[in-house]
Amino acid sequence: MRIGAPKETAQGEARVALTPESAERLQKLGYDCLVESGAGAAASITDAAYEAAGVKIVDTAAELWSDADVIVKVREPSADEVEAAPDGKTLISFIWPAANEALLEKLKEKNMSVLAMDMVPRISRAQKMDALSSMANIAGYRAVVEAGNNFGRFFMGQMTAAGKVPPARVLVVGAGVAGLAAIGTSVSLGAITMAFDVRPEVSEQIESMGAEFVFLDFEEEQTDGAETGGYAAPSSPEFREKQLEKFRELAPEVDIVITTALIPNRPAPELWTADMVAAMKPGSVVVDLAAERGGNCSLTQADEKLVTDNGVTIIGYTDFPSRMATQSSNLYATNIRHMLDDLTPEKDGSPVIDMEDDVIRGALVTHQGEVTWPPPPPKVKAIAAAAPKKKEVEESAEEKAARELAEMKKSLNRTGLLLAVGGALCLVLGAVAPLSFMQHFIVFVLSVFIGFHVIWGVAHSLHTPLMAITNAISSIIIVGALLQIVSGSLLVMLLAALSVLMASVNIFGGFLVTRRMLAMFQRS
């Protein structure tokens, strides 16, 4: 069967659903690939590159829709495209079925089998097909780039001969895929980054990336992301008021705000109000990634950049992935390829719609003349539920003192027992061993005893650095071995040589391991 990628007709759309790399993989699945002439031009992919990968170039969209059995697109087809399309085709693209009921009816009338890439369920097996996440990742990165382009200072603070430049303060609202990408980019550029999200399980992710999680002092049990498909659940009015109060407190302090709060098939919640914009400093920037669904900022205008009376720039572009068309096309084409891989279990170039497959059934919106959206819930949860954290009980001063006293008594008892057993063994051995041997043996036993207690009391995180120091003490062994290596006894000379060898390995190996460990925490 043939897979075809037409040129996108939506205004400003620069992505393409098929790349030379993905075409080569699809050909290994048994498919032939077609692409409309010029479809990849906006993504810096030439027709010659497609031809080199074995892709057939067709001149018009009508010819491609006629020749291809499976059509892969980025944006949902326009009314004219659906009207001109032959019946019975398989279509894979973004569809947004909740907002396009009329489109679903037209696709049903055309007897199309349509797989919506925006409806791929968020389960572990489907991550490779999750086009929403791959595009959101790019949008989050690009949002920081756009903010930096419109911000009049460095992100990273600097101390120069010409003066001091303070670091930018960035607030990311929403820590989904786009939010985490924005956090990572902002932190890597050196900005002081804060982030907020209503889901309790993302606070550790935010902090692990070097950002500060904005906590609300509000007693309300938030729904775990595992119960809502990985997305945030709508908040109560009381929580929303507390949230807006916190944002009003932060508004005068932050330089850049990036809002990413968006739940599929819902209007974007209004989180950054006009009074917050008015409270921001002149030159500040707001980047609204939810502009296509109304925007998180009340002043956002879709596909426009505006400057308020107090000098705040508000960016409401809806085409962030298209502004990085080459990267977006590569990732999206890979998502499409993985979807077709699942649709072709026999690798024979024939797609099979398996209604029992959670991923395929979840993405299927029309099939065999019927609208199959909405799908049944998947058999497995989108993500694992966050394990509830046990609250640590704070000890009182009396309880802490009692605990430390009990631990000290236990340690003393263990030490006394070890001394008693060791002393008894030394007495038994002294009854049969010569005096010269016992002098050295007692020193050896005491050194082992003291060394054991010194090492045992060191925190686990310090064991590797400590190893370098303790291995350096092995030089004492080398000194002793060198004194004995000139002995007239062959056995003593052999043992001394082995002691020098093993102690040397300990010394140099310990320092080498420590150096490698420390290098892990250094920037290259």
Side-chain angles (χ1 to χ4, degrees), residues 221-245:
E221 189 69 26
Q222 293 297 312
T223 305
D224 192 281
E227 306 297 332
T228 54
Y231 295 99
S235 303
S236 68
E238 295 79 12
F239 183 88
R240 172 177 163 77
E241 286 304 316
K242 194 71 176 180
Q243 177 180 334
L244 295 180
E245 180 185 334

Side-chain angles (χ1 to χ4, degrees), residues 172-191:
V172 179
V173 180
V177 176
L180 291 174
I183 291 168
T185 308
S186 176
V187 170
S188 66
L189 289 174

Side-chain angles (χ1 to χ4, degrees), residues 345-476:
E346 301 299 328
K347 316 301 181 191
D348 57 354
S350 298
V352 177
I353 306 292
D354 183 2
M355 301 297 281
E356 299 300 317
D357 187 303
D358 270 350
V359 178
I360 295 172
R361 179 63 188 89
L364 194 68
V365 294
T366 65
H367 183 54
Q368 296 179 345
E370 298 291 335
V371 175
T372 59
W373 182 86
K379 302 181 184 67
V380 296
K381 288 184 177 180
I383 59 174
K389 296 181 179 179
K390 295 181 180 180
K391 293 184 178 179
E392 295 183 2
V393 180
E394 293 187 4
E395 291 180 317
S396 64
E398 294 78 8
E399 291 174 336
K400 184 178 180 181
R403 178 179 56 79
E404 290 177 348
L405 180 61
E407 290 176 354
M408 186 177 67
K409 287 182 178 179
K410 183 179 179 181
S411 177
L412 290 175
N413 290 337
R414 184 172 62 246
T415 302
L417 179 62
L418 288 173
L419 286 173
V421 172
L425 290 175
C426 287
L427 287 174
V428 172
L429 185 60
V432 295
L435 180 61
S436 59
F437 172 81
M438 288 306 300
Q439 289 177 343
H440 293 293
F441 182 74
I442 291 174
V443 172
F444 172 74
V445 170
L446 290 176
S447 63
V448 169
F449 179 77
I450 295 171
F452 168 78
H453 278 276
V454 169
I455 302 301
W456 192 260
V458 174
H460 293 293
S461 58
L462 296 178
H463 275 178
T464 303
L466 179 69
M467 183 175 63
I469 305 302
T470 53
N471 285 346
I473 299 174
S474 298
S475 58
I476 300 173

Side-chain angles (χ1 to χ4, degrees), residues 308-327:
T308 63
D309 294 338
N310 64 321
V312 177
T313 301
I314 301 176
I315 299 172
Y317 300 149
T318 60
D319 60 346
F320 284 104
S322 278
R323 290 171 181 262
M324 300 181 69
T326 304
Q327 183 70 74

